[in-house]
């Protein structure tokens, strides 16, 4: 009887958790590999094309620019909405939001002092910029909006996925042992080029094989970027006009 009670207790636990934990099920059933029969290059193609079709995602990561580390953390959707933050290589942190085709940036003193003014600006000019924007949002000039290098590119989903499409190698990849990214199973693909290695983590999902993470080691610009929250819309409200400095208007006045 005592042995039977132990057996019933174990069975009850197994039924309760349903998940088929070790000791509750026969065998070790594994989910079928959605990429079975595909080359690493073909998996990369699927990952890039699926991610390009996403209507929104969250992106965070760190990387080096000119030898200095930069950090980004933001969400963006295909309606031109975005919000997040960035840490400049030379110091300071800034918030970034975008809505209705307009982008805004609000930095702390360290950020504006390290990035304010044109290249080669004096410390006085940088201090002046910091004082002007203290506690206020800078409305991005149109020419500094969408497009490569412009701050507004953070809010341009098409530009982001275009860059991903162009920068992701599709030839000569090798599939390594699978891994997890924040609890999600992923196929791991690597590409080695001279002193640089790029590793892609593609979700093992037959319907939505998104790129979950990209890691670059070696080379001039190492870094890691993680993508999540695919398809989740971004809710943004433009800052009050009284808290905004329109840089385009200021530049017109200066000229």
């Amino acid at each position: 009887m005592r042995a039977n009670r132990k057996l019933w207790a174990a069975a009850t636990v197994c039924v309760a958790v349903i998940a088929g934990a070790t000791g509750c099920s026969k065998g070790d059933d594994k989910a079928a590999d959605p990429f079975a029969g595909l080359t690493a290059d073909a998996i990369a193609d699927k990952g890039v094309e699926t991610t390009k079709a996403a209507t929104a995602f969250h992106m965070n990561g760190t990387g080096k620019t000119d030898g200095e580390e930069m950090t980004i953390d933001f969400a963006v959707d295909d309606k031109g909405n975005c919000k997040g933050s960035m840490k400049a290589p030379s110091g300071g942190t800034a918030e970034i939001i975008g809505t209705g085709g307009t982008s805004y940036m609000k930095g702390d003193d360290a950020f504006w002092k390290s990035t304010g003014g044109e290249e080669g600006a004096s410390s006085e000019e940088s201090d002046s910029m910091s004082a002007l924007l203290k506690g206020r949002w800078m409305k991005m000039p149109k020419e500094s909006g969408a497009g490569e290098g412009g701050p507004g590119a953070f809010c341009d989903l098409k530009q982001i996925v275009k860059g991903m499409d162009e920068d992701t190698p599709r030839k000569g990849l090798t599939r390594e042992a699978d891994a997890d990214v924040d609890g999600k199973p992923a196929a791991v693909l690597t590409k080695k080029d001279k002193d640089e290695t790029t590793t892609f983590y593609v979700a093992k999902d037959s319907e939505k094989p998104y790129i979950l993470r990209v890691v670059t080691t070696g080379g001039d610009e190492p870094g890691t970027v993680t993508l999540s929250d695919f398809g989740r819309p971004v809710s943004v409200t433009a800052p009050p006009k009284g808290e905004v400095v329109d840089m385009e208007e200021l530049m017109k006045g200066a000229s």
Side-chain angles (χ1 to χ4, degrees):
M1 290 293 293
R2 185 172 300 172
N4 286 339
R5 282 199 297 270
K6 287 184 179 181
L7 187 62
W8 279 112
T12 301
V13 171
C14 288
V15 171
V17 299
I18 302 176
T22 301
C24 300
S25 61
K26 295 181 180 179
D28 216 8
D29 296 333
K30 292 183 178 180
D33 183 357
F35 304 136
L38 294 181
T39 64
D41 294 355
I43 297 171
D45 278 336
K46 289 177 71 71
V48 171
E49 294 306 314
T50 303
T51 305
K52 282 171 59 180
T55 58
F57 52 67
H58 180 264
M59 173 183 279
N60 69 78
T62 59
K64 284 191 174 182
T65 301
D66 296 328
E68 297 183 88
E69 190 168 282
M70 178 179 178
T71 301
I72 58 170
D73 187 347
F74 70 97
V76 59
D77 67 22
D78 61 356
K79 307 299 182 185
N81 299 311
C82 76
K83 63 180 177 180
S85 64
M86 63 178 290
K87 184 175 181 181
S90 49
T93 302
E95 296 176 67
I96 299 172
I97 61 174
T99 184
T102 302
S103 301
Y104 306 85
M105 180 180 287
K106 183 179 183 180
D108 56 22
D109 285 344
F111 181 86
W112 292 127
K113 286 181 179 179
S114 65
T115 61
E118 299 178 353
E119 186 175 351
S122 66
S123 59
E124 289 79 7
E125 290 172 319
S126 295
D127 288 344
S128 177
M129 173 73 83
S130 178
L132 174 66
L133 295 169
K134 186 177 180 64
R136 305 169 79 182
W137 291 90
M138 180 179 78
K139 182 180 178 181
M140 304 291 185
K142 293 297 183 181
E143 59 267 26
S144 296
E148 292 184 27
F154 282 104
C155 299
D156 190 339
L157 183 63
K158 289 183 179 179
Q159 187 67 35
I160 293 171
V161 296
K162 178 176 180 289
M164 180 185 299
D165 188 8
E166 294 174 348
D167 295 341
T168 302
R170 313 284 189 93
K171 302 294 182 182
L173 288 101
T174 301
R175 184 171 180 178
E176 310 290 351
D178 294 345
D180 281 359
V181 175
D182 297 330
K184 297 180 179 179
V188 181
L189 317 174
T190 62
K191 170 71 174 181
K192 296 183 178 180
D193 185 14
K194 296 180 181 179
D195 61 342
E196 181 177 280
T197 299
T198 304
T199 304
F200 302 92
Y201 296 78
V202 181
K204 291 181 66 177
D205 186 322
S206 59
E207 296 183 2
K208 297 179 180 179
Y210 291 117
I211 292 179
L212 302 179
R213 180 170 291 160
V214 181
V215 179
T216 303
T217 57
D220 297 328
E221 297 183 345
T224 298
V225 175
T226 300
L227 302 178
S228 61
D229 296 338
F230 293 95
R232 181 178 295 179
V234 182
S235 178
V236 182
T237 301
K241 289 185 177 180
E243 297 178 11
V244 175
V245 175
D246 190 329
M247 294 305 294
E248 194 166 29
E249 292 299 319
L250 284 179
M251 288 190 294
K252 286 179 180 178
S255 60

